[in-house]
Amino acid sequence: MKINAFMLGFLIYLLLYCKDKQPATNATPLEGKKSEFIKAKIDWSYIDIPVEMKIYEIKSQIAYNLWDTHSVASIESSPVSTEIPESTIVVQSGRYKEFILGMKNNTNKPIYFFAAPHNVQPPQYSLGFKFKCLCINHAFTVKPGEFWYRVVRLNIDKDFRGDSFVIKHELIGISEERMKEFEFKP
């Protein structure tokens, strides 16, 4: 059997290319360590929406339910207390934190939007928590001049691994016609 120059060159290339490669079976997953307190930053990006979402503590003297969602005349007429600094909450392992997502429509037109499913960074920390948020295949309306809010909950499993992560949503503005196809009805 004769080996031509092309085949010889190809074999030399393979030997040189593959000599420093490690087999994939030696890879170790990058898992975090268990922490007693976990920081979760809630982050947003916006597509065709002129307002920003913020997160807030819940007033202690106001009755509310998980997923209460309303557009009200003012922030004062909502269950919102103070804005949460840097959109970062701290949850103890094995517990949950309820808080409010809110946005003020300072325009003279209604805003229609929905949230794409959230993304977690680093992704290996996405195992062990549940965020009961707003990416639920519904569209929402913020009336002109009003404050929109939704009560949400972040559950951290007792076996969660990691100490901090970011949950990011994309909020997407849509037309009234499209909103009516997926409108959230409280």
Side-chain angles (χ1 to χ4, degrees):
M1 176 166 115
K2 290 185 178 181
I3 298 179
N4 65 27
F6 173 76
M7 290 293 288
L8 184 60
F10 181 72
L11 288 173
I12 292 171
Y13 169 77
L14 279 177
L15 288 172
L16 292 173
Y17 179 75
C18 295
K19 76 173 191 165
D20 293 329
K21 301 294 179 190
Q22 296 292 326
T25 57
N26 290 343
T28 304
L30 298 174
E31 294 180 350
K33 294 180 181 178
K34 285 187 177 182
S35 298
E36 184 177 356
F37 294 96
I38 296 94
K39 287 183 182 178
K41 179 172 177 53
I42 312 300
D43 199 12
W44 311 96
S45 64
Y46 306 93
I47 300 171
D48 298 328
I49 188 166
V51 296
E52 292 184 358
M53 184 75 74
K54 296 185 180 188
I55 70 170
Y56 300 88
E57 296 288 352
I58 300 171
K59 284 181 189 171
S60 60
Q61 69 274 22
I62 300 269
Y64 66 90
N65 292 309
L66 179 63
W67 284 332
D68 276 352
T69 305
H70 300 284
S71 185
V72 294
S74 68
I75 195 169
E76 293 77 24
S77 57
S78 76
V80 164
S81 177
T82 57
E83 185 176 342
I84 296 173
E86 299 178 24
S87 293
T88 301
I89 61 173
V90 177
V91 184
Q92 188 172 8
S93 180
R95 310 220 55 186
Y96 67 86
K97 168 86 174 159
E98 292 182 338
F99 56 100
I100 293 178
L101 308 178
M103 65 170 63
K104 174 74 173 155
N105 181 355
N106 290 320
T107 74
N108 59 0
K109 295 180 181 178
I111 295 171
Y112 308 107
F113 74 98
F114 75 99
H118 54 254
N119 177 310
V120 177
Q121 291 300 321
Q124 60 267 32
Y125 291 2
S126 59
L127 181 63
F129 81 91
K130 292 180 192 126
F131 189 21
K132 297 182 179 190
C133 54
L134 75 163
C135 56
I136 55 167
N137 198 37
H138 287 284
F140 303 96
T141 302
V142 189
K143 296 176 185 170
E146 291 196 354
F147 179 77
W148 175 93
Y149 71 90
R150 182 172 178 88
V151 178
V152 297
R153 176 187 295 159
L154 180 65
N155 293 9
I156 300 291
D157 190 83
K158 66 180 177 52
D159 295 317
F160 179 84
R161 291 181 180 255
D163 58 357
S164 67
F165 62 99
V166 176
I167 303 171
K168 185 169 189 168
H169 282 94
E170 274 128 358
L171 299 180
I172 298 120
I174 56 175
S175 67
E176 181 178 10
E177 293 74 32
R178 183 78 170 133
M179 182 276 308
K180 287 180 180 179
E181 295 172 11
F182 295 93
E183 183 174 16
F184 175 79
K185 300 198 189 242

